[in-house]
Amino acid sequence: ALSPWNGYAGALTFHQGRLWLGGNKLRPQSVWASKVDDYTNFEVGTDADDGMDLTILSQKRDRICWMMAADGILVGTESSEWAISGEQGRAITPTSFDIKRQSGEGSSSIPPVMAPQSLVYVKQGNTQLMELSYSFQDDGWISQDLTLLAEQMCKPGVKQMVIQRLPY
């Protein structure tokens, strides 16, 4: 799936002992996971530690822009944000996984940053910062516009993000 002809992954993260790769030119909505603790082996199977080949089934053929490990895998595509998790709180395996759409904001290719309780990402168009946080009430991740009261803050367009946890 990953080659000079098909293209290489545009996003990656590590989670539960696996290397997760997302989207290429041929299959922009696909996610590949390595075998557990074997980051170069993507052989697919049905054992719990085998590699995986998953596809996000959305209404559009959106490219995966970023992936971030949280309580599962958060995935930003050009038109939506998704969560990949294990069924009923278990580990993600080839036979136990769930892919759910979390919001329909759309993501930029700028890598997100993990804040203490949420994930901050740039919305498609690069002029808005969004916060993706878990809502126990909704039992899912919800997006909120962080630039709602200061729209001018990102008007030139966001180029890069970092988080600073201490004053110096």
Side-chain angles (χ1 to χ4, degrees), residues 57-106:
L57 299 175
S58 69
Q59 300 298 318
K60 298 180 179 182
R61 189 173 156 89
D62 290 333
R63 178 178 57 88
I64 292 174
C65 298
W66 53 259
M67 298 171 62
M68 181 72 76
D71 185 23
I73 308 276
L74 297 174
V75 180
T77 70
E78 293 172 325
S79 70
S80 302
E81 289 69 43
W82 299 79
I84 303 172
S85 59
E87 291 177 340
Q88 299 173 348
R90 296 188 194 123
I92 304 169
T93 69
T95 58
S96 174
F97 66 89
D98 198 12
I99 303 174
K100 287 185 183 174
R101 184 176 180 266
Q102 303 298 307
S103 80
E105 298 294 338

Side-chain angles (χ1 to χ4, degrees), residues 142-154:
I142 57 170
S143 285
Q144 295 179 344
D145 186 354
L146 294 176
T147 53
L148 184 64
L149 299 176
E151 293 177 1
Q152 72 282 0
M153 185 172 79
C154 298

Side-chain angles (χ1 to χ4, degrees), residues 121-161:
Y121 68 97
V122 179
K123 186 175 177 175
Q124 186 75 2
N126 293 4
T127 59
Q128 287 177 286
L129 291 179
M130 305 298 292
E131 178 184 40
L132 192 62
S133 58
Y134 190 80
S135 167
F136 288 100
Q137 181 178 355
D138 297 323
D139 191 27
W141 295 82
I142 57 170
S143 285
Q144 295 179 344
D145 186 354
L146 294 176
T147 53
L148 184 64
L149 299 176
E151 293 177 1
Q152 72 282 0
M153 185 172 79
C154 298
K155 282 297 181 203
V158 177
K159 304 278 187 219
Q160 178 180 358
M161 288 195 314

Side-chain angles (χ1 to χ4, degrees), residues 113-116 120 161-165:
V113 294
M114 188 61 85
V120 178
M161 288 195 314
V162 295
I163 190 166
Q164 180 176 334
R165 297 183 195 275

